[in-house]
Amino acid sequence: MTNNEISIEQINKLDAAAFRLLYKNYYKALVCYAITIVGDSESAEDIVQDTLLAMLERQPVFISESGRKAWLFKVASNKCKNILAHRARKKMVMI
């Protein structure tokens, strides 16, 4: 295991160093992904923070690195959709 790899055991034990690596390994990619969906960096950064916190709070069990990555992007995608739906409702109310 290299210095940038996070073991499943570390994630499941809520290891602080593992979460720093998680942040380091996924933050930029998740923010770029969220920006493409919601259109602004401030909302995208909030979404990614919420996504990483969701991992901390829910402690999902991962079988592999690809499973962890898929989970993070799915949660970020759902949070993006929620933001877009909220914006649409807010816009309808204003009309």
Side-chain angles (χ1 to χ4, degrees), residues 13 17 27 38 42 45 49-50 52 74 87:
K13 289 180 187 175
Y27 184 81
V38 297
E42 187 175 319
E45 289 174 358
Q49 287 180 354
D50 288 347
L52 294 174
K74 184 62 177 177
R87 287 179 184 171

Side-chain angles (χ1 to χ4, degrees), residues 30-31 33-34 37-38 44 47-48 51 70-82:
L30 286 166
V31 168
Y33 176 73
I37 297 173
V38 297
I47 288 164
V48 173
T51 299
W71 188 89
L72 285 166
F73 276 86
K74 184 62 177 177
V75 171
S77 176
N78 289 340
K79 290 184 179 294
C80 288
K81 290 175 187 176
N82 291 344

Side-chain angles (χ1 to χ4, degrees), residues 22-78:
L22 184 72
Y23 184 90
K24 178 184 172 189
N25 291 345
Y26 293 107
Y27 184 81
K28 286 182 185 178
L30 286 166
V31 168
C32 289
Y33 176 73
I35 286 172
T36 62
I37 297 173
V38 297
D40 70 279
S41 61
E42 187 175 319
S43 294
E45 289 174 358
D46 288 344
I47 288 164
V48 173
Q49 287 180 354
D50 288 347
T51 299
L52 294 174
L53 283 173
M55 176 174 271
L56 176 64
E57 292 168 351
R58 295 188 189 126
Q59 302 179 42
V61 177
F62 299 104
I63 296 168
S64 66
E65 174 68 23
S66 62
R68 176 175 34 247
K69 184 176 180 180
W71 188 89
L72 285 166
F73 276 86
K74 184 62 177 177
V75 171
S77 176
N78 289 340

